Amino acid sequence: MESGLTQSLLPAEMRVRLAEILPAGRIVHFAPREKLFCEGDPSDHIAILLAGIVKITASTANGREALLGLRGAGEVVGEIAALYGSPRSATVRALDDVRARLVPASAFVNGLRRHPDALLASCMRS
């Protein structure tokens, strides 16, 4: 699994462990400029990026778009809103052809409940 383009909120070991424990989900393709998530939308799934690059943006108070980060293959996006059951805090848009595995938020949260070690994966280095 390749690493992302910018620092992920989740350590690499945790992302690998999440990919191992989560159900298969469905594979979806996104064309360049297509939105995976929209800021303010309900968070009913997460995405594990399999190929391509996405940009993560949020609206500023003056109506501009702020770039929060770029993510690539091996990265998980949408996990924070899914964990808290809150609306999306950012928009995620494909920069090129993107292939992602979409996993329901409930399966993500249940997977973490069944495998709490996934949350500690980065702390358990020997």
Side-chain angles (χ1 to χ4, degrees), residues 29-38 52-55 57 65 91-98:
H29 292 86
F30 296 92
R33 296 201 260 187
E34 190 174 353
K35 292 178 184 175
L36 283 74
F37 308 133
C38 291
I53 300 169
V54 300
K55 73 174 181 175
T57 60
E65 182 179 85
T91 295
V92 178
R93 185 185 301 268
L95 289 180
D96 58 1
D97 289 319
V98 168

Side-chain angles (χ1 to χ4, degrees), residues 35-43 56-61 63-66 68 81 86-93:
K35 292 178 184 175
L36 283 74
F37 308 133
C38 291
E39 186 175 355
D41 282 356
S43 55
I56 304 168
T57 60
S59 300
T60 64
R64 294 185 178 249
E65 182 179 85
L68 302 178
S86 58
R88 301 281 182 202
S89 59
T91 295
V92 178
R93 185 185 301 268

Side-chain angles (χ1 to χ4, degrees), residues 17-121:
R17 185 72 177 114
L18 286 174
E20 291 171 355
I21 67 166
L22 292 176
R26 63 185 173 100
I27 305 295
V28 179
H29 292 86
F30 296 92
R33 296 201 260 187
E34 190 174 353
K35 292 178 184 175
L36 283 74
F37 308 133
C38 291
E39 186 175 355
D41 282 356
S43 55
D44 58 355
H45 64 280
I46 65 158
I48 300 171
L49 302 177
L50 304 173
I53 300 169
V54 300
K55 73 174 181 175
I56 304 168
T57 60
S59 300
T60 64
N62 63 2
R64 294 185 178 249
E65 182 179 85
L67 178 64
L68 302 178
L70 302 173
R71 299 287 185 268
E75 298 285 351
V76 177
V77 292
E79 74 282 3
I80 301 301
L83 277 174
Y84 292 103
S86 58
R88 301 281 182 202
S89 59
T91 295
V92 178
R93 185 185 301 268
L95 289 180
D96 58 1
D97 289 319
V98 168
R99 190 167 50 92
R101 183 162 56 104
L102 302 184
V103 177
S106 59
F108 172 62
V109 171
N110 288 334
L112 291 177
R113 284 189 182 122
R114 285 190 312 274
H115 301 277
D117 63 298
L119 289 173
L120 301 173

